[in-house]
Amino acid sequence: MNEQEKPVAEHKLSKNNNNTAVVYHKGCTAYFRPDTEEVIFLDDSVAGEFDKAGSALMKLVDEHHNAKKAYSDAIEAYGKQMPDIANQEKNAPLLEDVTTKETKFRDAAKKLQTELGEFDEQTGYKEPVVELIPLEPNKKSTYGRRYSYVKNGTFTLYKDKITPVKLKDVDGGSIYVEDKKSNTKVIDEKNLKDKLGKLKKIAEEKLGTKITSQLETDYQTSLTDWAGSWNKQPDYSKEGRYIDVSAGAQFLRLTANAGCNTEWDSLTGETKIKGEAKVELTVFSGHLDTTFYMPDRIGWQLKFIINDAKKTADLGVLRAKLCAGLTGYVGASAQVEGNLQCVTMGGKQLLMGRRKDSSTFQERQKGIELEESKEKEKQVGSDAEQQSLEVSAGAFGGARVGASIGGALQWLKPFDSLVNKLPDIVQTFGGDPALMNSVLSKDLTDKDKATGPAKGEFVDFASFTWSGDVEIAAALGGSFKIAFSKGRFIYHIEANVALGPGAKGDLKGEITPELFGEFAIWAIYQLYGMDFHHFEMFSEEAFMTLTYVMIMGGMEKYKNYYEGLKAGFVDVYLEFSGFMKKLSSEIQSEIQDSTKRNSLATSIKDNHDYVYTLTPEGKGILLFLLSQEMAYDSLDTDNIVNPVDGWDYTKNYVSMGLYPVVPVLVDPFHDRKSAILFILHSIQTLREWEMVLTHMTEDGYKVDSSGTTEQIMLERMDVLRRTLQHGINQDSKMDQHYKALADAEFQAWMQNLKKEPTFGYPFAPNFRQDYLLCNKSNEHYSKLLDLNPLNEHDNY
């Protein structure tokens, strides 16, 4: 049993009296109040009632935690069953169990919220709690072994029956040792023990009664154990955490269920919270380290209404992984109120709770649609709404600004690799005939048949953590927008899209260099899901920047921009223009340009998967470069290569696999033709084919022509055909790949391209049989997730 599953209390049932154990009879009569450094004594006549009130509150907290854990376990059980497509009938009872556990969790939350009272973003909880430490062995109640909590109203109700004695009145001074910044760094155990030894006389005078030596020993043992436990913790002050007895920290310990801990944890000083988030409370500092998966671990499906096509396109399954350091009422409210919202306190973006019903798990499984036509008219939020999400540091009377939100946006990636692998894709351009027959076979191979449905995995593609200026993100309207500013891709997403219905505020972040590769894959796959219609989530400048960066070097190029913190779209465009001038044909530098085109072709041939991560504009730019030729290109020996490994120079012919024996020794433009074919093979739909050809220009913008789209495409196909017909006719070979008509027209090949995307599968070269087999979107895509077991580092 791990720490998180450790029972908060143990309780043996009696074998008599109908299996009912009496666990409560008399309350504790003395407590220590850490925030005021008071020892309070209760009149015996109200001790039981007082203890019962605290126990009832802590019981509600415990029930809330247990209900959250049960709900999380039910989600996990359902998530593990989802990928078993052959036994989907087993989903129904598991989904029903999720609904049942969700209802119980909501009920437990409402009961706790009712007991805690009203909550407001500006004022916090109307009635705070009082944290107490019992100063005698507390074997009378299941709840409240080491900490006891009562609402301030309860404490006030018994005020006339309470006798407080301040430890500061005993020899003066505080038991808390502070640094120069008034942060409590240690509890003076010797001072505490001395004060407790002298407390007896003062207390007896106030109480008018004697205190037994046994009780005196219990007082000292309870508090010195408490102080010793806190003092033995690692030096958290290095992380900006200190001993905290403020009202906010006390409330955080309550909601973290510290009241149900049976003993001080002297080794870690942490409490593992049950439920749907990995949460570790540093007990003495009142600091909560959390990881939330929102709206839950399974995520929800996003759909995109394309304006010009008036249809819905798939954007896949999204969830937010939120890593936050929460303190005071801000963190406590996130635990209790259920829904999360993003607020600003002290210039930092934080999470806090919101008391409003959210969507149910079953409702979330239906997904959400983003309609861009509405987004254009929609602003980030009214001034009044934004102002309500600004929380002043003093509003909560004890809340302190904690760490900003970290974490990432994640998407359910439906494949290990973006591209279905050929056995050896390079050999398809001059390789083994048997291999090609296998590749092009109408029947699946035994290996293909043995391969079951792949499981998707949630992966990060955008970070909530940033360093630098992301103010422009605040000006991005719509539910989800991406821009490029100061060397970085930045984004804005409304909280209710990332975290689920009911969430308020906005989340902002950036694409860090280590996430850039996955971001590019995510972007191109979402673009594919919309069948290459205008990707309105991207600003035009951000979209073209992504196109240029991928061509100029990908992650390494983006890293340079990111660390430079100064590049905008104009800077990227100017650098790209210079890049293109070095590669495009200029008469005065034909030799250099030919070499560069050869190098470009070789790089594509050696890293063919790369072309699948390019936008149609990017593919158009590469085709433009590779189809350029000057007089020297035909003389360049590096551009005239042996097309097959193992060439025997004693013979004057070579078998080229799919096409017959050809009496040639060399193949001009071989690598360039191969690179062009790699790009053409990566085209997935008819619409992408149109987009690639009409953007076959030096800068990736649409061909400037008075002709129709059809005419532009025909002109570009002629350019490609001329290049492919150099040497061994790859144009003819390509036609064989695609079962083209005898006249070798591109239009015949186009007939085999998909009319619409088949979302949920990886890309495949468009002459492959598996490309043709995946002729419908994967209806089970959102179910094929590899949900890891719940542990202390993951939840929800």
Side-chain angles (χ1 to χ4, degrees):
M1 181 176 291
N2 65 33
E3 186 68 24
Q4 192 171 19
E5 297 172 338
K6 186 177 179 180
V8 295
E10 293 188 1
H11 163 126
K12 294 183 179 179
L13 292 177
S14 168
K15 293 185 179 181
N16 301 314
N17 301 324
N18 298 319
N19 284 335
T20 300
V22 179
V23 297
Y24 194 98
H25 58 85
K26 182 181 178 182
C28 181
T29 57
Y31 298 87
F32 176 66
R33 184 172 174 177
D35 58 332
T36 61
E37 298 184 55
E38 291 177 316
V39 176
I40 65 169
F41 297 90
L42 279 82
D43 189 285
D44 286 344
S45 64
V46 298
E49 296 175 6
F50 184 87
D51 197 27
K52 185 177 180 180
S55 182
L57 174 59
M58 288 179 285
K59 181 181 179 182
L60 291 175
V61 173
D62 191 49
E63 290 175 348
H64 178 256
H65 280 230
N66 289 331
K68 182 183 285 189
K69 174 66 163 58
Y71 174 46
S72 181
D73 289 345
I75 290 177
E76 182 177 317
Y78 177 72
K80 287 181 177 179
Q81 174 58 33
M82 285 172 64
D84 188 1
I85 305 301
N87 296 287
Q88 289 296 286
E89 72 280 358
K90 295 181 179 180
N91 282 357
L94 292 174
L95 184 57
E96 183 178 349
D97 187 50
V98 171
T99 301
T100 299
K101 298 293 173 52
E102 183 177 37
T103 299
K104 291 181 178 180
F105 170 51
R106 287 173 181 263
D107 289 344
K110 287 181 179 179
K111 288 179 182 179
L112 178 58
Q113 290 166 0
T114 300
E115 180 65 20
L116 290 174
E118 296 177 14
F119 174 79
D120 181 81
E121 289 90 346
Q122 287 294 323
T123 60
Y125 290 91
K126 186 174 182 179
E127 186 177 350
V129 298
V130 177
E131 182 179 68
L132 302 169
I133 298 175
L135 295 187
E136 60 183 90
N138 188 353
K139 300 177 182 179
K140 312 168 187 67
S141 173
T142 304
Y143 303 97
R145 295 303 182 92
R146 290 296 183 178
Y147 289 97
S148 288
Y149 296 89
V150 294
K151 294 193 299 181
N152 189 62
T154 302
F155 191 82
T156 304
L157 183 65
Y158 293 99
K159 191 172 183 179
D160 293 341
K161 299 292 184 178
I162 292 175
T163 302
V165 179
K166 289 184 177 290
L167 288 184
K168 288 184 178 181
D169 293 341
V170 182
D171 289 343
S174 173
I175 63 172
Y176 300 122
V177 180
E178 298 181 343
D179 61 17
K180 295 180 180 179
K181 296 182 179 180
S182 299
N183 296 311
T184 302
K185 61 182 182 180
V186 72
I187 301 173
D188 190 332
E189 294 180 57
K190 183 179 183 304
N191 187 19
L192 173 62
K193 191 171 183 179
D194 290 343
K195 286 178 179 288
L196 290 174
K198 298 175 182 179
L199 176 70
K200 179 180 177 182
K201 183 178 180 181
I202 297 175
E204 287 178 341
E205 289 177 356
K206 283 198 172 188
L207 291 170
T209 184
K210 294 286 185 180
I211 297 176
T212 66
S213 58
Q214 179 61 42
L215 281 180
E216 180 183 351
T217 302
D218 289 334
Y219 293 172
Q220 293 187 5
T221 301
S222 295
L223 283 190
T224 53
D225 282 354
W226 161 75
S229 174
W230 283 26
N231 287 340
K232 289 176 183 176
Q233 306 313 316
D235 186 7
Y236 280 99
S237 62
K238 293 180 180 178
E239 303 174 31
R241 307 182 198 176
Y242 300 88
I243 292 174
D244 190 353
V245 293
S246 67
Q250 292 182 20
F251 200 97
L252 192 60
R253 285 191 279 272
L254 165 70
T255 59
N257 214 18
C260 287
N261 283 349
T262 58
E263 58 187 48
W264 307 117
D265 189 344
S266 60
L267 294 177
T268 65
E270 294 176 343
T271 294
K272 306 288 193 305
I273 296 179
K274 297 179 180 179
E276 302 192 358
K278 171 256 181 181
V279 184
E280 293 182 350
L281 168 69
T282 305
V283 177
F284 67 93
S285 72
H287 183 99
L288 212 57
D289 285 328
T290 70
T291 301
F292 297 100
Y293 290 99
M294 301 298 296
D296 54 55
R297 297 176 69 202
I298 292 177
W300 64 343
Q301 200 150 6
L302 292 177
K303 296 182 179 180
F304 190 92
I305 299 177
I306 304 171
N307 294 332
D308 54 357
K310 297 299 181 185
K311 65 178 182 179
T312 301
D314 221 324
L315 284 182
V317 177
L318 187 73
R319 76 180 185 187
K321 178 183 179 181
L322 298 173
C323 305
L326 307 178
T327 59
Y329 291 119
V330 178
S333 67
Q335 292 297 314
V336 174
E337 301 305 325
N339 292 322
L340 296 179
Q341 61 183 335
C342 304
V343 299
T344 302
M345 181 190 290
K348 291 187 177 181
Q349 195 174 18
L350 305 171
L351 289 175
M352 69 183 305
R354 187 165 188 262
R355 188 171 294 189
K356 180 182 178 182
D357 287 338
S358 62
S359 61
T360 66
F361 181 82
Q362 290 205 41
E363 289 171 343
R364 291 197 298 271
Q365 294 307 294
K366 299 175 183 177
I368 182 176
E369 291 183 349
L370 302 178
E371 187 169 1
E372 288 300 283
S373 59
K374 292 181 180 179
E375 284 197 82
K376 288 181 178 179
E377 303 170 0
K378 186 177 181 181
Q379 300 300 318
V380 175
S382 66
D383 292 340
E385 182 183 47
Q386 292 303 305
Q387 188 175 4
S388 70
L389 297 173
E390 296 285 330
V391 180
S392 64
F396 286 23
R400 294 184 298 112
V401 178
S404 297
I405 297 171
L409 286 177
Q410 299 182 317
W411 72 300
L412 182 58
K413 189 176 182 180
F415 38 75
D416 292 329
S417 171
L418 179 63
V419 189
N420 266 349
K421 299 292 186 181
L422 283 172
D424 185 355
I425 195 168
V426 177
Q427 292 188 39
T428 65
F429 303 102
D432 182 85
L435 170 65
M436 292 306 303
N437 289 334
S438 172
V439 169
L440 296 173
S441 171
K442 292 183 179 180
D443 299 323
L444 292 175
T445 64
D446 292 337
K447 182 178 181 181
D448 292 330
K449 293 177 181 177
T451 303
K455 288 187 178 181
E457 180 182 1
F458 278 105
V459 292
D460 299 349
F461 71 93
S463 174
F464 286 124
T465 304
W466 58 74
S467 56
D469 186 0
V470 292
E471 291 180 2
I472 190 174
L476 297 175
S479 298
F480 192 3
K481 291 292 183 181
I482 297 171
F484 183 77
S485 176
K486 296 188 177 179
R488 301 179 177 200
F489 287 102
I490 58 176
Y491 70 87
H492 156 266
I493 183 170
E494 289 185 347
N496 65 345
V497 175
L499 308 182
K504 291 291 184 180
D506 303 298
L507 290 164
K508 308 176 188 72
E510 65 183 19
I511 311 304
T512 55
E514 60 271 18
L515 294 182
F516 179 75
E518 196 62 48
F519 170 69
I521 291 174
W522 170 81
I524 198 65
Y525 203 73
Q526 310 320 306
L527 187 62
Y528 166 68
M530 295 185 290
D531 197 10
F532 303 94
H533 286 78
H534 180 45
F535 199 1
E536 293 198 26
M537 288 184 181
F538 274 79
S539 69
E540 181 178 350
E541 291 182 348
F543 185 77
M544 293 308 296
T545 297
L546 176 62
T547 297
Y548 297 155
V549 170
M550 288 302 297
I551 291 177
M552 290 192 294
M555 186 183 74
E556 288 303 316
K557 173 58 66 176
Y558 179 61
K559 186 177 180 181
N560 292 338
Y561 290 137
Y562 184 91
E563 293 176 348
L565 270 177
K566 61 181 181 180
F569 170 72
V570 173
D571 302 290
V572 177
Y573 181 78
L574 291 175
E575 182 171 355
F576 180 74
S577 297
F579 174 84
M580 288 296 293
K581 287 178 180 178
K582 293 178 181 178
L583 291 175
S584 61
S585 57
E586 295 178 14
I587 296 177
Q588 62 271 29
S589 59
E590 286 185 20
I591 296 177
Q592 293 181 9
D593 290 330
S594 178
T595 301
K596 286 180 169 54
R597 283 192 289 277
N598 294 337
S599 177
L600 176 64
T602 302
S603 68
I604 294 173
K605 182 179 176 182
D606 292 343
N607 186 23
H608 38 268
D609 288 0
Y610 153 73
V611 298
Y612 289 86
T613 64
L614 297 176
T615 64
E617 289 81 352
K619 293 178 183 179
I621 291 170
L622 289 183
L623 289 176
F624 172 83
L625 286 172
L626 293 166
S627 60
Q628 297 293 299
E629 59 179 278
M630 300 299 294
Y632 182 79
D633 286 291
S634 298
L635 303 175
D636 187 352
T637 56
D638 289 334
N639 192 30
I640 306 174
V641 299
N642 166 20
V644 179
D645 291 338
W647 173 268
D648 186 348
Y649 288 96
T650 64
K651 300 179 181 179
N652 63 350
Y653 65 90
V654 59
S655 173
M656 289 303 295
L658 287 184
Y659 44 84
V661 172
V662 182
V664 297
L665 295 175
V666 292
D667 182 22
F669 288 75
H670 178 81
D671 284 350
R672 296 189 201 177
K673 290 181 291 186
S674 295
I676 288 173
L677 286 175
F678 278 127
I679 296 170
L680 296 179
H681 291 154
S682 73
I683 295 174
Q684 299 295 298
T685 68
L686 275 170
R687 180 172 173 79
E688 186 186 6
W689 169 251
E690 174 188 319
M691 296 294 290
V692 170
L693 288 188
T694 57
H695 291 80
M696 195 173 142
T697 59
E698 189 172 9
D699 59 5
Y701 283 94
K702 193 170 183 178
V703 174
D704 185 11
S705 172
S706 59
T708 64
T709 298
E710 182 78 15
Q711 290 171 332
I712 294 173
M713 292 172 64
L714 288 173
E715 290 172 359
R716 296 307 176 189
M717 283 189 275
D718 284 341
V719 172
L720 292 174
R721 189 188 319 281
R722 287 196 297 271
T723 303
L724 292 171
Q725 288 176 340
H726 280 287
I728 299 175
N729 193 327
Q730 298 289 289
D731 177 43
S732 173
K733 179 184 175 184
M734 180 181 63
D735 289 337
Q736 293 186 49
H737 281 319
Y738 299 97
K739 306 173 185 177
L741 300 178
D743 58 359
E745 289 295 328
F746 278 96
Q747 286 88 338
W749 164 32
M750 290 167 57
Q751 292 177 5
N752 288 322
L753 290 177
K754 294 176 182 178
K755 305 298 187 293
E756 58 185 27
T758 53
F759 200 86
Y761 298 103
F763 295 150
N766 51 31
F767 63 86
R768 281 280 303 273
Q769 188 65 29
D770 51 353
Y771 169 83
L772 299 174
L773 286 173
C774 298
N775 54 15
K776 290 184 180 180
S777 290
N778 184 358
E779 60 181 288
H780 299 298
Y781 154 63
S782 63
K783 297 180 174 63
L784 297 176
L785 72 160
D786 190 4
L787 194 65
N788 295 323
L790 182 70
N791 56 54
E792 64 177 335
H793 300 295
D794 289 318
N795 269 297
Y796 247 14

